Amino acid sequence: MHIIIRPTADEVAVAAADIVVPHIRRGATLGLATGSTPVATYQELIRRHDAGEVSFADCRAFLLDEYIGLAPEHEQSYHHTIRHEFTAHIDIDDALVASPDGMAADPHAAADTYEHAIVNAGGIGVQLLGVGTNGHIGFNEPGTALTMPTHVTTLHPQTIADNARFFDTAEDVPVHVLTQGLGTIRRAGHLVLLATGQHKAAAVACLAEGPLTTMCPASVLQLHNNVTVIVDEAAASGLKNLEYYRFAEANPLKV
Ligand code: F6R
């Protein structure tokens, strides 16, 4: 796991864009997270797109997750959110920005369909991830098997409380979601996890330095060979091995 620490959230976004852009230039299939954390990275990617530095014309994208019961045009559906915050502002083909069908009559079948669509597309090249305060990635809450494919699940009350800020009341947050599973996420070629702010410090410490455990779903990243974790100083503040991460970053292998 390659851990990059930057002083501020804005610098995390620049570092993340630096890592993702070479994938975009190769026409990679992008795995996209929603939530607050990647927004600054999306803005940085839009800026580089507008400056003519990068084109998404050869890319397609798969979202991590979707709320069950929110129509695609609902302001808080992830289908809508990713377009509003990112993909409507770049030259990616909108028909190739996929998300699980939160309105499907049979959500379990929709989960299978989504998993197959990812496999049929040749898998995800680079997957952007945020992390929940309870260590979730996607909506794989504590206790989720580390091998799960895309599936239907129930949000943890902590996640509902965390996400209530996007809705009028906590009661409006859907309780059920479709999410790529930890097994799906583990098959992506390169995992890039972003975390900013003091409230993410415990989750970052558990995912990077804690034991591999379903109680911290993001710890599954420890089983992947190509993981970059980019955090600001506040989110890094719970890490014990900080001196080593800084040393390793200051001394890259020159080839
Ligand atoms: C969103 C997602 C979630 C978020 C996580 C952090 O698609 O899959 O795992 O990344 O809840 O959310 P923020 O960034 O809002 O703190």
Side-chain angles (χ1 to χ4, degrees):
M1 192 180 287
H2 180 200
I3 299 187
I4 297 175
I5 300 157
R6 289 287 178 269
T8 65
D10 284 346
E11 286 162 278
V12 166
V14 171
D18 286 346
I19 285 168
V20 174
V21 160
H23 289 284
I24 298 166
R25 292 204 174 114
R26 286 195 292 273
T29 295
L30 311 176
L32 301 178
T34 44
S36 306
T37 312
V39 171
T41 298
Y42 294 149
Q43 286 170 356
E44 177 64 16
L45 290 171
I46 292 167
R47 192 192 65 70
R48 294 185 194 197
H49 167 268
D50 291 349
E53 294 170 22
V54 64
S55 166
F56 296 76
D58 295 331
C59 294
R60 60 185 301 164
F62 287 92
L63 270 64
L64 270 174
D65 37 27
E66 184 57 282
Y67 291 111
I68 291 179
L70 295 194
E73 54 279 4
H74 189 289
E75 264 202 340
Q76 294 309 329
S77 76
Y78 287 163
H79 180 280
H80 176 85
T81 301
I82 201 69
R83 286 168 172 76
H84 178 68
E85 287 173 349
F86 186 34
T87 60
H89 310 286
I90 56 174
D91 60 346
I92 196 167
D93 180 352
D94 186 63
L96 296 180
V97 179
S99 46
D101 181 0
M103 295 300 284
D106 182 348
H108 296 284
D112 291 346
T113 302
Y114 196 67
E115 185 75 15
H116 287 127
I118 293 172
V119 172
N120 291 340
I124 289 169
V126 59
Q127 175 67 60
L128 277 170
L129 296 165
V131 62
T133 54
N134 66 359
H136 74 221
I137 50 174
F139 279 134
N140 293 275
E141 299 286 24
T144 307
L146 305 179
T147 50
M148 286 295 276
T150 302
H151 60 282
V152 174
T153 192
T154 307
L155 291 181
H156 193 283
Q158 179 64 55
T159 304
I160 293 174
D162 287 348
N163 287 3
R165 69 190 190 281
F166 297 116
F167 293 82
D168 290 340
T169 70
E171 286 69 44
D172 294 327
V173 183
V175 171
H176 298 106
V177 291
L178 280 151
T179 184
Q180 286 187 34
L182 297 175
T184 323
I185 292 168
R186 282 172 60 188
R187 282 197 302 276
H190 186 178
L191 303 180
V192 180
L193 184 139
L194 314 176
T196 54
Q198 185 66 39
H199 62 303
K200 297 293 175 73
V204 169
C206 93
L207 80 89
E209 297 178 344
L212 173 65
T213 167
T214 59
M215 289 310 288
C216 177
S219 67
V220 79
L221 269 54
Q222 295 171 20
L223 293 177
H224 196 286
N225 295 338
N226 192 8
V227 178
T228 308
V229 172
I230 314 173
V231 292
D232 66 1
E233 290 287 350
S237 61
L239 292 168
K240 295 193 186 72
N241 210 11
L242 266 178
E243 194 187 340
Y244 172 67
Y245 306 137
R246 293 193 207 282
F247 180 79
E249 208 198 331
N251 293 282
L253 176 65
K254 295 192 177 73
V255 282

